[in-house]
Amino acid sequence: MTEYPTSHEGPQPAAAGSSDVPGPRGSRHAAAGRAAPVPGPEDRGHGKAPAPVAEGSAGARARTGHDASALARDTSAARTAGSGGTSPGLPGPRGEAEPPRPLGRDAAPGATAAPGLPAGAAGPAQGPDGAHGQEAALARAGAAAAGMLAAEPTAARREGDRLRFVGAATRRIARGLDLDEIVLGLCRATVPTFSDAILVYLRDPLPVGDERPVGPVVLRLRRTDRLRPIEELGSGLDPAGAAGGSGELDLSQLPLVGPQGDLPAAELCEIRPGGALAEVLRGVRPVFGSSAAARAALPELLGEGHPVPRGQRAVLAPLRGRRRVIGAAVFLRSPERPAFEANDLLVAAQLATHTALGIDKAVLYGREAYIADELQRTMLPDSLPQPTGVRLASRYLPAAETARVGGDWYDAIPLPGSRVALVVGDVMGHSMTSAAIMGQLRTTAQTLAQLDLPPAEVLHHLDEQAQRLGSDRMATCLYAVYDPVSHRITIANAGHPPPVLLHLGGRAEVLRVPAGAPIGVGGVDFEAVELDAPAGATLLLYTDGLVESRLRDVWTGIDQLRERLAATAQLTGLDHPPPLEALCDDVLDMLGPGDRDDDIALLAARFDGIAPSDVAYWFLDPEETAPGRARRYARRALERWGLEELSDSLELLVSEVVTNAVRYAERPVTLRLLRTDVLRCEVGDDAPQLPRQRRARETDEGGRGLFLVNRMARRWGATRLSSGKVVWFELQLPGGGRS
């Protein structure tokens, strides 16, 4: 008998209908009319040599039909049995993975395959009846072929399950916007589908941009997750019972330990340069816990004294961002599930890559949001001043919570003579550029206000500044100056919504102020109006985001604002103005869900004013006797107010300041005393030079006046005016308040 090797399993006897040409699977077609193979010695011994059967005969067709029918039945049964299988490493109906069934598991050792049949199929039996042996061999070959047909789709389904899992997990990770959401998405996507537990370590602090670490790189355990709840673990377990005899981790017996109370790991880990953990992180690729590199790196990551997972039940995956490694993830499986496979390393690599890139995105987004918030915060006043005769409150709301920058601003600037400048502006747009332009215009307005320019002149200079910044740098602005002594307010407008004045009796009035053109148009004159500002009234300055939206136009919103102010005033009575802070909150409550299309800046000023009985005012000719007269006038005012205790201090400081003013003035010097919660003295002259404090030498006859003012006064300062300057100082009233 001639034998033909057909596979790596060794030579095989020829089967009926096989080709004479050997190959891995044999030829599918035999030569026409070829006789059946010669029987073996066993058959010859029994004298049962079968007659040759030519291809195409009735017997051959019947046998072929019988074999094909048996093969089809076996293939169908194998497919039906294999349809309920699950992918290795992925959960079945109860969340537990089933191990893959290896191909050819039921084949007997040393079994051979007939030519033309898959490897692992047995050849024909050499017994008393060669024909029956051939039929049995064909039946077994058909079953083996059916097993392969069923196993190949199972492997394909396994890989398909992996791909679908990776796709779903990456989509879940990508949905996160901030750091915590991304890390939580990784944990929820992998437990329990891919692993029974996970530990996520991130660098502390996380690097931003091209920042270089100045100290050692530290990993912090950011989040952990596990399949089995802590409550289901045995309460009486010894913490050492979670480790086997070799000191390796057994998740099924894990007690309540760890910084977050659910997994055994140290909270902080410092990466030693050149250490095992540093080498694994530098390699970027995930590694099994059983590898030599991981066995050396995991104790460094988990901390001293913590058990290490045994075998391939742990995967250590570095988290690499766009520029550097930003952390690590440890995937753990319990002994109840199959160990990780080689393909699971690819899954871990995909999860780690998408998580690291998402964390990078979240960190950069958070950094940009922080910069935007800081920019907006520094360009708006941290706190409002509390000048004499007026109380202030403000609110600022960005158009969107995710991009808290805009071009709206407000400001309150103290001016000489106890006056205060109130400013509200709105740069077109909601970008960082708008915020930067707003900062420049606000700084310009503050500088112009310190020059004590008229409101219309301030808007004119702001218009010139906006044109220098660019042709498309446009903004609206309202600039008002309140004088508490005269109870008057001067307002100039540059295309801004008009202010609303809430009177003490509850009547809300929209002030008639010329609208003017926006800042940046150029070549436009601005007009200022002077109006009464009665004590107890409240002036409301705002940007158009408060009164304009997609649901209403500007004037409809202004009418609603006026009605809301009047209704709020009715709640507190006609003789008492509503509390200022509560009034601002109530105004913002009028906004509906669809009314937040623009930034909102709100500035409210409650006019208290200064009563004429609390003001003393004199003109002094610039001569040598002026300081003496100033001391006498100040003493008389203190006697009228019952503040004789301040006579010595006030006379000394008034004498020093008036002496300096008379020395350089050419026109009469003004002296004014104001009694509010403090005693304020203001001395004005026509000399523009501001005084500066200096340390006088022992031989100098002067230079000590401002030194005395600085030591004795509560506060002092000097402000340049368009017609000169004003030097002022304040003294604390006896008892801390008005008598």
Side-chain angles (χ1 to χ4, degrees):
M1 184 184 73
T2 304
E3 296 181 351
Y4 299 92
T6 59
S7 69
H8 64 279
E9 298 181 6
Q12 306 294 328
S18 65
S19 173
D20 292 337
V21 181
R25 296 181 179 269
S27 174
R28 293 186 179 181
H29 306 285
R34 181 168 298 170
V38 179
E42 296 83 356
D43 293 355
R44 292 196 193 99
H46 291 81
K48 293 184 179 180
V53 179
E55 185 175 0
S57 66
R61 288 195 297 270
R63 183 179 294 110
T64 303
H66 172 75
D67 296 341
S69 176
L71 177 60
R73 287 195 303 270
D74 294 339
T75 303
S76 176
R79 286 179 177 174
T80 303
S83 62
T86 56
S87 301
L90 299 181
R94 298 180 180 274
E96 298 180 356
E98 296 182 6
R101 182 181 295 274
L103 300 179
R105 170 184 293 181
D106 298 330
T112 57
L117 296 178
Q126 305 299 328
D129 191 349
H132 291 294
Q134 291 177 4
E135 292 178 1
L138 287 173
R140 288 193 295 270
M148 291 192 64
L149 291 175
E152 289 177 358
T154 301
R157 283 196 301 270
R158 214 162 42 230
E159 296 306 318
D161 289 342
R162 280 194 177 94
L163 292 177
R164 284 189 292 272
F165 163 71
V166 171
T170 53
R171 285 193 298 270
R172 184 164 190 171
I173 295 171
R175 283 199 298 265
L177 291 179
D178 58 17
L179 181 63
D180 292 333
E181 289 180 353
I182 293 173
V183 175
L184 180 61
L186 172 65
C187 295
R188 293 291 183 263
T190 55
V191 177
T193 307
F194 182 69
S195 62
D196 292 326
I198 184 175
L199 301 94
V200 181
Y201 288 84
L202 295 180
R203 288 179 59 171
D204 186 28
L206 280 168
V208 178
D210 295 327
E211 294 179 359
R212 301 284 182 178
V214 295
V217 177
V218 176
L219 296 182
R220 179 182 294 275
L221 184 58
R222 186 80 184 202
R223 189 176 185 89
T224 63
D225 201 358
R226 63 178 298 138
L227 172 63
R228 180 174 299 176
I230 293 298
E231 294 78 9
E232 297 181 7
L233 296 176
S235 58
L237 287 177
D238 183 7
S246 60
E248 295 176 332
L249 181 64
D250 183 1
L251 281 176
S252 63
Q253 299 297 324
L254 183 64
L256 180 62
V257 290
Q260 292 178 289
D262 53 2
L263 285 174
E267 184 177 4
L268 294 177
C269 167
E270 180 178 327
I271 300 179
R272 297 190 298 269
L277 181 59
E279 292 300 323
V280 172
L281 296 182
R282 186 180 295 111
V284 177
R285 298 182 182 277
V287 294
F288 287 124
S290 59
S291 64
R295 284 200 304 268
L298 281 174
E300 184 179 345
L301 181 65
L302 300 179
E304 296 296 335
H306 294 294
V308 179
R310 66 166 68 96
Q312 291 187 185
R313 302 199 176 275
V315 171
L316 174 57
L319 302 178
R320 180 174 179 82
R322 293 176 176 84
R323 296 180 180 272
R324 59 178 66 86
V325 173
I326 60 175
V330 182
F331 303 95
L332 302 171
R333 279 188 184 174
S334 65
E336 303 168 0
R337 296 177 63 174
F340 288 108
E341 300 179 352
N343 287 341
D344 291 328
L345 291 182
L346 302 178
V347 174
Q350 288 290 326
L351 297 176
T353 299
H354 283 82
T355 301
L357 293 179
I359 291 173
D360 251 2
K361 175 189 67 176
V363 171
L364 291 176
Y365 174 79
R367 178 67 174 175
E368 291 181 357
Y370 170 77
I371 293 174
D373 289 345
E374 286 296 303
L375 176 64
Q376 190 74 40
R377 186 186 63 81
T378 55
M379 291 185 178
L380 294 175
D382 291 335
S383 60
L384 292 174
Q386 297 298 328
T388 302
V390 62
R391 285 174 286 171
L392 303 173
S394 64
R395 295 291 186 274
Y396 177 81
L397 294 178
E401 293 296 332
T402 56
R404 289 172 280 189
V405 292
D408 292 15
W409 91 91
Y410 61 89
D411 213 342
I413 309 168
L415 299 178
S418 299
R419 297 171 299 156
V420 59
L422 307 174
V423 190
V424 170
D426 183 3
V427 178
M428 296 183 181
H430 310 93
S431 62
M432 296 283 288
T433 303
S434 301
I437 296 173
M438 176 267 288
Q440 291 176 302
L441 294 179
R442 177 174 178 253
T443 302
T444 303
Q446 288 180 330
T447 303
L448 296 172
Q450 295 300 325
L451 298 177
D452 199 27
L453 298 178
E457 192 70 15
V458 171
L459 295 183
H460 175 73
H461 288 292
L462 284 176
D463 179 61
E464 292 180 342
Q465 175 68 10
Q467 294 180 62
R468 286 191 290 267
L469 294 177
S471 58
D472 58 342
R473 309 309 190 196
M474 299 180 63
T476 63
C477 182
L478 191 144
Y479 187 92
V481 175
Y482 170 66
D483 189 344
V485 176
S486 63
H487 298 269
R488 302 280 290 179
I489 186 169
T490 305
I491 305 175
N493 191 6
H496 205 77
V500 178
L501 184 65
L502 178 62
H503 293 269
L504 186 60
R507 180 174 63 91
E509 174 188 4
V510 180
L511 298 182
R512 297 180 177 275
V513 180
I519 292 173
V521 174
V524 179
D525 292 333
F526 299 98
E527 182 181 355
V529 294
E530 187 173 352
L531 305 172
D532 289 331
T538 304
L539 182 69
L540 206 67
L541 309 180
Y542 53 90
T543 56
D544 56 357
L546 180 65
V547 295
E548 184 182 19
S549 70
R550 292 172 294 179
L551 306 178
R552 60 186 178 184
D553 56 35
V554 175
W555 290 106
T556 301
I558 292 176
D559 289 339
Q560 293 179 1
L561 173 62
R562 182 179 55 80
E563 295 172 358
R564 186 61 174 260
L565 290 174
T568 304
Q570 297 294 329
L571 299 177
T572 58
L574 302 180
D575 298 333
H576 299 87
L580 203 57
E581 297 290 342
L583 179 65
C584 293
D585 294 335
D586 191 66
V587 167
L588 294 181
D589 287 342
M590 65 178 282
L591 297 172
D595 291 349
R596 291 286 301 281
D597 298 331
D598 199 358
D599 305 326
I600 298 174
L602 177 65
L603 179 63
R606 173 70 45 76
F607 299 142
D608 294 333
I610 301 177
S613 58
D614 293 329
V615 179
Y617 196 90
W618 301 277
F619 288 95
L620 302 173
D621 292 329
E623 53 189 22
E624 296 180 357
T625 59
R629 294 202 305 273
R631 289 193 296 270
R632 291 195 300 271
Y633 296 154
R635 189 184 310 114
R636 293 174 185 173
L638 293 180
E639 292 175 355
R640 185 171 69 251
W641 293 332
L643 301 176
E644 291 86 353
E645 299 179 21
L646 299 178
S647 295
D648 294 339
S649 299
L650 180 62
E651 290 183 25
L652 177 59
L653 298 183
V654 165
S655 179
E656 294 293 339
V657 175
V658 171
T659 299
N660 290 337
V662 170
R663 181 177 302 173
Y664 302 103
E666 296 181 358
R667 289 195 291 261
V669 175
T670 60
L671 172 63
R672 186 166 71 169
L673 297 179
L674 302 174
R675 184 187 65 159
T676 57
D677 54 342
V678 295
L679 180 64
R680 182 183 178 96
C681 176
E682 299 174 350
V683 178
D685 59 72
D686 59 348
Q689 295 81 10
L690 297 179
R692 293 289 182 264
Q693 181 181 353
R694 65 183 180 88
R695 183 175 297 276
R697 293 173 296 182
E698 295 181 358
T699 58
D700 291 343
E701 296 182 359
R704 298 176 179 84
L706 291 180
F707 179 79
L708 293 174
V709 173
N710 184 65
R711 293 296 299 270
M712 299 179 63
R714 176 176 174 268
R715 290 193 311 157
W716 78 278
T719 305
R720 181 179 286 110
L721 305 177
S722 57
S723 59
K725 68 174 181 295
V726 169
V727 180
W728 57 269
F729 62 86
E730 295 176 352
L731 294 175
Q732 187 66 43
L733 296 180
R738 298 180 60 171
S739 59

